[in-house]
Structure formats: C-alpha cells, structure tokens
C-alpha cells in the first residue's frame, strides 16, 4: 500500500529559505520608466487601446484581452512614451510588443469601485469583474482565472488553496500569508460563493510554521475551512502532485483536476481576486522575492508589474554586471540576458548568482543509469525521451507521452552526466505542438478542397443533364448548343492568345520595375 | 474474380491515399501537378520523384520515403524548409475592380465576391498557395507571412 500523503519520485532540496526575513514585507520605490510586455497576438488583433503621448492613470486598461490572454493595466500614472515591437529572449522565440510608461510619481488611481455586496450580483457578472481586473494564475502557469471559474461552475465540490512553495529560495507566498491571512480567507469566501463550495483545503509545506499559525488563527472560528501540512519535497506545488498527496487520486492524462471535482488556486491568485472585488483594484502589483545564492540576502518586496529587473537590483545596491540573474525559481526559471526585462505577472522571484557559478559543465553521453526515471514525479522515462527527441523521432516521443511532462526539471538536477534534459523536452514539446497544428490545418484544407470539387462536379452534371434533355426535345436546339460550344472554344483560344500578350506585357513591366529599382539603388 | 471485384470494389488507390494523407494539402501546384492528389497519384503510379513538395519540406520527404521503402540517405542533403511561418494572401480592397479571376482559380474557395463587386480573402481558409497572385490585372493581391499561433 502506498502512503496517502506522498507521491512517486521527486527530491528533497535544501530549502534555502530564511524564516526571519520572510515575515517582513518591504516596499520598493517606483521606477521612472515601466516596460510592459504585451503578447504579439494582441497587437495583430488591434487590441491595444492607448496611443503614444497619452496620459494614463494607475489601473487604466492598456491592452484588451484576447482568448487566453488577460487584459493589461497601467501600473502607475504617467505618460506613454513609446509602443514598439521588440524581441525579448524567452523559452520560445515568441515576439512581444513593448509599452513604455514614464511615471509622474503622483500615483493617481482611476475611480475604484469596490463591491462589498457581491452576493447581490449575478455569478457571471462577478466572473466578468475578475476577467476585467486581468487576473491570471500567479503560481506560474498564467492561465486565466475567470475561464477556470466559468468552466467549473456546478462541477466542483472542494477548493484547494495551493500554498506549497516547493521551489528553493522562493518565499513570496509565505510572506503573503503572514501579512494578509485575513484577506486570503475573504478571497476564499468569494470563490466559495461563486462556485457554491462548502469545503476549502489550504495546503502548506511543513517548513512554514509562522504562516501556518497565522492562517490557522484566521480560520479558527470559521466552518468549512481546513488547513493541512504536507511533506517538504519538490515538486509538491505542482497541481497533479498536490492532488495525489492530499486526496490519493491521480488525474488521468489529458484531463484537469476539475474532472475530479477539485478546483485549485494559488494563494496569490486568491489574494488578487479579493483585491479585485472588495477593493476594486486591478492586478498591478505582486510580491517578489529577491535572493542571492546563499540565502543570506533574502527580502520580499511589493513590486509593480512592469518594473525592470535592473531597477530592483539598483535599489538594493547590487552590481548586476558581475552577477547573472534568474527570473523565477532556480529550477523552472530562466536566465535574463537583457537587464531591462520587466517583472511579469507570473514571475515570483529574482535570483542573483555570481556569474562563475552559472558556467555549465560539458554535456556528456548518457550512460543509462536510470536515475532520472526513478526521480521523475510523473513516472515517465526521461532517458528514453531524450534519445527520441535528439533523433527527432516525434511519433515515438508522442507515444511515450512527452506531453505529460510538467517541466519540473528534477531529471536535469539528478543527471550525473550534465545533460540539459529540460531544454530538450521543451523544444520537443513545441515541435510536437506545431506538427499537430499543421495536421489540423491540412485536414481542414483537404475538406475545403473536396467540397469545392464536389460542387464543380455537380455543376458539370447539371450541364450534361440539360444537354441530354434537349436532345430529346429538339434537334435545332442541340445544333444551337453545339454552335455555342464552338464559339466558346474560339473565345478560349482567343483568350489564350490574349493571355500570352498579357504575360509578355507583364514580363516587360517587371523588367522595367527591376531597372527602376536598380537605378534607385545606384543613386543611393 | 469477377464476383470478388464486384463485391469488394475499391474506388480509390490505397497507396495513393496514404501518400495524399502525408502531403500538406496546400494545393499550390509548385510540384508541377494541379493538386496534392494528382502529385500523390503520380508518385504512386508513375514513379515520380518524391522531393518535389516545397511547402512540405524535409520531414514529408522522409515520411514518404519511409512509406515507400526508399533509401533515406539519398535525400539527406536536401535543404530544409522551416515551416514556422505560413503564407496568406491579402487583397487590397480599394483597388479591386471585381474581375473575379482570382475567385475562379482558388482551390479552396477562400476568396469571396461576385462579378463587378469587391473581393476579399477569408484568412482562416487561405492555404497561401499564391495561385491568384499572377492573375490579378490590377496587381492588388499581396502575400503576407503570419505565425501559426495567430490563426487560432
């Protein structure tokens, strides 16, 4: 029998979290210039609402949402200086367009409309408010919270609040719980009212004693709330592993926890839902941990979304040239080359390490020690997937269910021959997604082509039927038709001649254009 | 034999269908055949060389080679085409005179409009084959590259 409070695989990292510093919340000075990243799809669909030179207030909408992308809000009041298409380095070669805002330092808000009597309004309206506030899952995935809520109406019976920050160095959720425990409970009550849930489970890792006490005090006299400590083990913060540890149930592949009747929210998301409804504030700031390699310097800041990383480091007198910087957790995060890269909605920590530490050791051949497959929390075979992805065997890697990989990065940490497995898998996943997209497109095109052909065939058959019926009726009419056909043939021959002339004319035109271009180039 | 051929009548060639399923179905005629099915039947029946599909690129060549038991090494030095981008055709609607030449040629009925009226392309249906570009008398059809993700 398996234990109910555990999952397969995973490793116990040194937590590198100092409990003393995580209780205090520092406030950062606002930078002069904010840079806000907007997804490229939003730009294509013309969803940016502001123009260059416009004065905006804090909380004003900059770009509307589209499908899976939430609307963006201005983090401070000021002037919009530029809107450009820049290419930031990221996992994929995704393009972002950048909106720069010069803050005036006055921090004027838009008219905030707090809704204290949310129980009088309809459910859809409140979900719409949550969407308008631009709230996404702040744990890391960045999925739209409003869509999650809408999808799980009348389907769920428990709410799980994910407060298990399993990644080392990160203490932002811990700090949030210690400072805003009552507000988190209020946020839970809003979600409970929306989905008509009567049971809430808050899962906290067992090394966060202070946060546990604070939340325990906040929910002491309330019914339907329960708080549970779980074992400190990476990746217990992942949704599938959390549900396995709490309920001893496994989510089947290709399905979501909602299918089991459980809805999962991060603590920070619930806090921002409370802020959006009871205070009327859209999502413009979040708590970010700043930490160094030995966790000697560890602080939590309330940072506006869109603050450049450079500003945070300069405010704390850290030399960003001799350090290399990681945005996000140390395992799933990514190295920032451009120091002007801003804090995103999903980034929960900034790590700075001495640059000598980041030099990767040489990648050596795989020796099939199977350390990675023993450590994998999803029970996959990383060494097998590595060989398939290296030899571009997409069908085989799909068969070994690479899409189930949650990108926790344990296999990479465990590997004795320093193979960057996670980067291989990310690339492979992107490629597989592209292949699926292409297949969908080709089936769609084929359907369209066949429908057109059937249409043409039906037209031809109609013509033939006319001819047959006429042959019975009158011979003269038939002769007329034959004459018509002869005339048609003549016309087509003529048109072919005309086409030849046209082609020659077009070729001449093109040649003249080329000449003109050459002249222009020569002049320049 | 007569009875069997009558009873288990096969309309289509199974090998040609399999090759056709691998092809990208853009119907662009860059292989000098009028469509993807015609090219597939030419490969299956007449022994046409398999490396003529330009939008398909390397991957499709390898797939067909696997299907037909060709020697893959023969095609290893092909230039690879990265298909991250897809083409789409756009009509400049102010200059369209409504000759409806482009509409008649389009293999997937992606162009909408009638005679003497303005024409437009439905971007979600366009395969980017570019057959309509040289036919336009006013030169108002242009090709545009887009990302796959922005379609959906």
């Amino acid at each position: 029998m398996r234990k109910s409070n555990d999952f397969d695989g995973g490793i116990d990292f040194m937590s590198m979290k100092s409990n003393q510093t995580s209780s205090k919340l520092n406030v950062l000075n606002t930078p002069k210039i904010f840079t806000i990243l907007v997804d490229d799809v939003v730009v294509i669909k013309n969803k940016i609402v502001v123009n260059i030179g416009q004065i905006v207030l804090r909380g004003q909408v900059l770009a509307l949402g589209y499908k899976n992308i939430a609307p963006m809000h201005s983090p401070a009041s000021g002037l919009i200086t530029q809107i450009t298409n820049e290419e930031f380095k990221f996992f994929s070669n995704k393009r972002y367009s950048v909106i720069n805002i010069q803050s005036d330092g006055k921090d004027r808000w838009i008219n905030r409309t707090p809704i204290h009597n949310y129980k009088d309004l309809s459910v859809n309206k409140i979900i719409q408010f949550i969407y308008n506030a631009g709230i996404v899952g702040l744990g890391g995935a960045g999925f739209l919270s409003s869509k999650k809520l809408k999808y799980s109406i009348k389907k769920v019976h428990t709410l799980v609040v994910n407060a298990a920050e399993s990644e080392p160095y990160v203490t932002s959720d811990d700090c949030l719980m210690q400072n805003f425990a009552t507000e988190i409970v209020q946020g839970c009550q809003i979600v409970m009212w929306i989905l008509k849930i009567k049971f809430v489970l808050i899962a906290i890792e067992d090394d966060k004693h202070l946060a546990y006490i604070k939340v325990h005090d906040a929910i002491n006299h309330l019914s339907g709330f329960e708080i549970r400590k779980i074992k400190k083990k990476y990746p217990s913060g992942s949704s599938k592993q959390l549900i396995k540890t709490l309920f001893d149930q496994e989510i089947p592949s290709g399905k979501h926890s909602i299918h089991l009747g459980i809805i999962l929210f991060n603590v920070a998301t619930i806090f921002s839902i409370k802020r959006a409804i009871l205070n009327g504030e859209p999502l413009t700031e979040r708590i970010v941990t700043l930490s160094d390699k030995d966790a000697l310097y560890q602080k939590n800041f309330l940072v506006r979304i869109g603050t450049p990383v450079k500003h945070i480091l300069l405010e704390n007198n850290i030399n960003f040239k001799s350090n290399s910087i990681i945005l996000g957790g140390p395992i799933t995060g990514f190295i920032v080359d451009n120091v002007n890269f801003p804090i995103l909605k999903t980034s929960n920590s900034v790590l700075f390490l001495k640059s000598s530490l980041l030099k990767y050791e040489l990648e050596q051949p795989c020796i099939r020690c199977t350390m990675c497959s023993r450590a994998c929390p999803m029970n996959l075979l990383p060494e097998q997937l590595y060989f398939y992805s290296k030899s571009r065997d997409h069908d085989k890697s799909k068969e070994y269910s690479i899409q189930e990989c949650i990108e926790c990065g344990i296999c990479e940490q465990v590997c004795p021959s320093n193979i960057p497995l996670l980067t291989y898998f990310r690339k492979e996943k992107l490629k597989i997604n592209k292949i699926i997209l292409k297949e969908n497109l080709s089936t769609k095109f084929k359907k369209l082509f066949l429908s057109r052909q059937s249409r043409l065939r039906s037209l031809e058959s109609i013509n033939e039927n006319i001819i047959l019926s006429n042959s019975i009726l009158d011979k003269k009419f038939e002769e007329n038709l034959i004459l018509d056909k002869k005339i048609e043939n003549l016309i087509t021959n003529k048109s072919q001649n005309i086409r030849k002339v046209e082609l020659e004319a077009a070729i001449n035109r093109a040649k003249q254009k080329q000449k003109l271009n050459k002249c222009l180039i020569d002049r320049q | 034999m007569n009875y069997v051929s009558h009873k288990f009548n096969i309309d289509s060639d199974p090998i040609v269908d399999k090759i056709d399923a691998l092809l990208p179905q853009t119907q662009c005629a860059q292989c000098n055949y009028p469509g993807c099915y015609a090219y597939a039947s030419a490969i299956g029946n007449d022994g046409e060389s398999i490396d003529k599909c330009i939008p398909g690129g390397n991957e499709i060549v390898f797939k067909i080679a696997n299907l037909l038991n060709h020697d893959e090494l023969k095609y290893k030095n092909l230039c690879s085409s990265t298909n991250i981008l897809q083409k789409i055709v756009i009509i400049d609607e102010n200059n369209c005179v409504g000759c409806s030449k482009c509409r008649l040629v389009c293999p997937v009925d992606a162009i909408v409009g009638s005679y003497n009226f303005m024409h437009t392309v439905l971007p979600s249906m366009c395969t980017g084959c570019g057959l309509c570009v040289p036919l336009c008398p006013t030169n108002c059809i242009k090709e545009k590259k887009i990302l796959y993700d922005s379609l959906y």
Side-chain angles (χ1 to χ4, degrees):
Chain A
M1 284 286 285
R2 283 174 183 165
K3 286 175 195 172
S4 63
N5 58 352
D6 202 4
F7 58 90
D8 295 344
I11 33 172
D12 191 359
F13 283 117
M14 290 270 283
S15 67
M16 307 301 269
K17 293 172 188 179
S18 49
N19 275 321
Q20 293 174 337
T21 51
S22 63
S23 61
K24 198 186 168 191
L25 181 64
N26 302 296
V27 178
L28 198 76
N29 292 329
T30 52
K32 277 184 181 172
I33 290 171
F34 290 93
T35 57
I36 286 170
L37 297 193
V38 179
D39 211 297
D40 199 28
V41 181
V42 177
V43 183
I44 288 168
K45 302 284 174 190
N46 291 326
K47 298 279 182 184
I48 288 182
V49 204
V50 287
N51 296 316
I52 297 169
Q54 194 178 329
I55 292 167
V56 288
L57 301 174
R58 190 180 168 189
Q60 194 175 333
V61 180
L62 298 176
L64 299 173
Y66 178 74
K67 284 190 177 176
N68 275 335
I69 300 157
M72 290 295 292
H73 298 271
S74 166
S77 63
L79 192 84
I80 289 172
T81 48
Q82 62 173 358
I83 302 170
T84 51
N85 281 324
E86 236 175 273
E87 213 164 300
F88 271 111
K89 241 187 182 179
F90 219 45
F91 300 136
S92 55
N93 297 320
K94 232 180 179 182
R95 279 186 299 173
Y96 288 90
S97 81
V98 180
I99 300 175
N100 278 358
I101 297 167
Q102 198 174 27
S103 71
D104 54 3
K106 286 172 189 168
D107 228 29
R108 288 170 295 163
W109 270 94
I110 49 161
N111 284 332
R112 281 170 284 184
T113 49
I115 307 160
H116 290 293
N117 54 343
Y118 59 88
K119 287 184 181 176
D120 297 342
L121 296 171
S122 69
V123 171
N124 283 328
K125 212 165 192 179
I126 281 177
I127 290 174
Q128 192 60 38
F129 275 120
I130 289 168
Y131 175 76
N132 287 342
I135 292 166
V136 297
L138 298 179
F143 190 72
L144 267 181
S145 309
S146 57
K147 214 167 192 181
K148 208 177 188 179
L149 284 170
K150 210 175 238 176
Y151 187 66
S152 56
I153 288 171
K154 290 178 185 173
K155 279 180 187 168
V156 291
H157 49 76
T158 46
L159 165 70
V160 173
V161 179
N162 184 355
E165 262 179 324
S166 50
E167 263 198 275
Y169 296 105
V170 186
T171 55
S172 62
D173 285 356
D174 193 4
C175 174
L176 183 82
M177 279 185 287
Q178 287 180 29
N179 289 302
F180 303 102
T182 50
E183 296 198 29
I184 287 162
V185 173
Q186 281 174 335
C188 286
Q189 280 166 342
I190 291 168
V191 177
M192 278 166 82
W193 180 80
I194 290 169
L195 300 174
K196 309 284 179 287
I197 293 171
K198 282 175 184 169
F199 183 61
V200 178
L201 225 172
I202 302 167
I204 295 182
E205 280 201 331
D206 53 6
D207 58 339
K208 291 165 192 155
H209 310 292
L210 287 169
Y212 181 84
I213 292 161
K214 279 274 163 69
V215 178
H216 191 79
D217 289 346
I219 63 168
N220 209 8
H221 54 279
L222 295 168
S223 64
F225 280 83
E226 197 185 315
I227 184 166
R228 200 181 291 175
K229 273 185 180 178
I230 54 171
K231 209 176 159 188
K232 183 173 79 69
K233 189 179 177 186
Y234 183 80
S236 58
S238 168
S239 65
K240 287 183 180 180
Q241 273 64 38
L242 193 66
I243 280 166
K244 177 86 176 81
T245 50
L246 293 173
F247 300 97
D248 201 16
Q249 275 179 319
E250 276 185 29
I251 302 169
S253 74
K255 285 193 175 176
H256 200 256
S257 66
I258 292 166
H259 293 276
L260 300 177
I262 299 154
I263 186 166
L264 247 147
F265 271 118
N266 195 22
V267 198
T269 321
I270 277 180
F271 176 67
S272 63
I273 285 173
K274 185 260 157 189
R275 271 287 165 93
I277 285 171
L278 293 185
N279 300 26
E281 295 175 9
L283 180 62
T284 54
E285 57 185 0
R286 66 160 299 146
I287 296 173
V288 173
T289 313
L290 182 71
S291 154
D292 69 333
K293 207 253 165 188
D294 304 318
L296 293 171
Y297 189 94
Q298 202 168 51
K299 274 183 181 176
N300 281 304
F301 291 100
L302 204 63
V303 179
R304 303 275 173 85
I305 288 153
T307 312
V309 177
K310 193 178 167 183
H311 175 80
I312 300 171
L313 298 173
L314 280 175
E315 283 281 306
N316 294 293
N317 299 323
I318 294 156
N319 187 7
F320 57 84
K321 276 170 188 167
S322 65
N323 291 307
S324 56
I325 297 139
I326 296 174
L327 201 66
I331 301 158
T332 56
F334 55 95
I335 300 160
V336 177
D337 299 330
N338 190 348
V339 202
N340 286 320
F341 199 91
I343 297 285
L344 303 172
K345 280 179 182 177
T346 51
S347 48
N348 52 5
S349 84
V350 177
L351 254 172
F352 59 97
L353 318 170
K354 275 182 184 170
S355 52
S356 58
L357 287 164
L358 264 179
K359 274 179 187 169
Y360 287 113
E361 287 167 44
L362 266 179
E363 181 188 337
Q364 278 155 352
C366 177
I367 50 167
R368 297 252 189 199
C369 61
T370 67
M371 293 267 272
C372 47
S373 46
R374 260 178 276 160
C376 182
M378 292 303 294
N379 296 326
L380 300 176
L381 299 171
E383 97 265 22
Q384 205 66 26
L385 287 172
Y386 159 71
F387 281 112
Y388 289 139
S389 59
K390 214 178 177 186
S391 61
R392 295 174 192 170
D393 203 341
H394 304 303
D395 296 331
K396 212 73 178 170
S397 59
K398 218 194 282 179
E399 198 182 309
Y400 279 69
S401 58
I402 197 170
Q403 301 285 43
E404 288 295 297
C405 174
I406 55 167
E407 302 183 12
C408 60
I410 283 178
C411 44
E412 198 178 285
Q413 298 285 325
V414 151
C415 184
S417 45
N418 301 318
I419 300 168
L421 288 160
L422 192 56
T423 48
Y424 275 110
F425 295 159
R426 274 175 182 160
K427 274 183 189 172
E428 181 72 10
K429 272 172 137 183
L430 274 177
K431 269 178 195 168
I432 284 174
N433 281 337
K434 242 164 231 172
I435 286 166
I436 290 168
L437 241 175
K438 248 191 237 173
E439 280 173 0
N440 287 339
L441 274 181
S442 74
T443 49
K444 190 176 150 194
F445 290 156
K446 196 173 185 183
K447 261 186 194 172
L448 289 168
F449 182 62
L450 289 177
S451 69
R452 178 191 150 89
Q453 272 193 332
S454 69
R455 200 196 80 203
L456 290 178
R457 233 176 266 149
S458 67
L459 271 176
E460 274 175 15
S461 66
I462 287 165
N463 287 334
E464 278 171 13
N465 284 330
I466 287 167
I467 292 162
L468 283 171
S469 58
N470 285 335
S471 68
I472 305 158
L473 284 170
D474 208 348
K475 275 190 179 179
K476 278 185 182 176
F477 200 75
E478 205 182 59
E479 280 167 10
N480 276 334
L481 268 175
I482 289 161
L483 258 176
D484 278 345
K485 269 200 169 178
K486 274 183 181 174
I487 291 162
E488 263 184 27
N489 280 329
L490 273 173
I491 288 166
T492 48
N493 283 332
K494 258 192 183 175
S495 70
Q496 274 177 1
N497 288 329
I498 290 163
R499 193 174 285 172
K500 267 184 189 174
V501 174
E502 273 179 355
L503 264 174
E504 280 171 7
I507 289 162
N508 282 329
R509 243 184 289 148
K511 275 179 185 173
Q512 277 178 356
K513 266 187 191 175
Q514 271 185 351
K515 272 183 189 174
L516 263 175
N517 282 330
K518 267 187 185 176
C519 286
L520 282 173
I521 290 160
D522 287 335
R523 271 182 204 172
Q524 280 171 0
Chain B
M1 281 296 280
N2 211 348
Y3 172 76
V4 168
S5 66
H6 175 72
K7 185 81 183 173
F8 304 102
N9 190 17
I10 300 167
D11 290 330
S12 56
D13 196 348
I15 295 168
V16 172
D17 279 351
K18 271 182 187 173
I19 298 167
D20 190 40
L22 292 177
L23 291 172
Q25 304 296 331
T26 47
Q27 322 289 348
C28 60
Q30 289 183 67
C31 52
N32 292 329
Y33 286 91
C36 288
Y37 189 82
Y39 178 50
S41 66
I43 292 170
N45 300 325
D46 308 336
E48 179 63 68
S49 66
I50 61 172
D51 55 348
K52 284 194 169 179
C53 184
I54 290 164
N58 247 352
E59 292 172 18
I60 279 169
V61 174
F62 287 140
K63 275 181 186 171
I64 299 170
N66 260 329
L67 186 75
L68 301 177
N69 272 335
H70 278 269
D71 193 8
E72 271 189 43
L73 292 172
K74 225 168 95 180
Y75 304 101
K76 204 142 204 181
N77 292 323
L78 275 174
C79 61
S80 63
S81 68
T82 48
N83 264 317
I84 307 158
L85 294 163
Q86 200 218 3
K87 272 191 213 162
I88 265 187
V89 151
I90 283 177
I91 291 180
D92 184 9
E93 290 162 3
N94 294 321
N95 291 331
C96 181
V97 288
C99 64
S100 79
K101 278 181 185 173
C102 51
R103 187 186 55 125
L104 295 174
V105 139
C106 184
V108 285
D109 287 339
I111 298 175
V112 184
S114 66
Y115 194 70
N116 275 341
F117 284 96
M118 188 197 77
H119 289 62
T120 44
V121 181
L122 307 176
S124 63
M125 282 161 77
C126 182
T127 62
C129 61
L131 287 176
C132 49
V133 174
L135 287 174
C136 185
T138 54
N139 286 332
C140 64
I141 304 181
K142 271 166 194 169
E143 285 179 345
K144 190 192 170 190
K145 283 178 181 176
I146 53 150
L147 286 168
Y148 265 129
D149 309 337
S150 59
L151 268 180
Y152 290 86

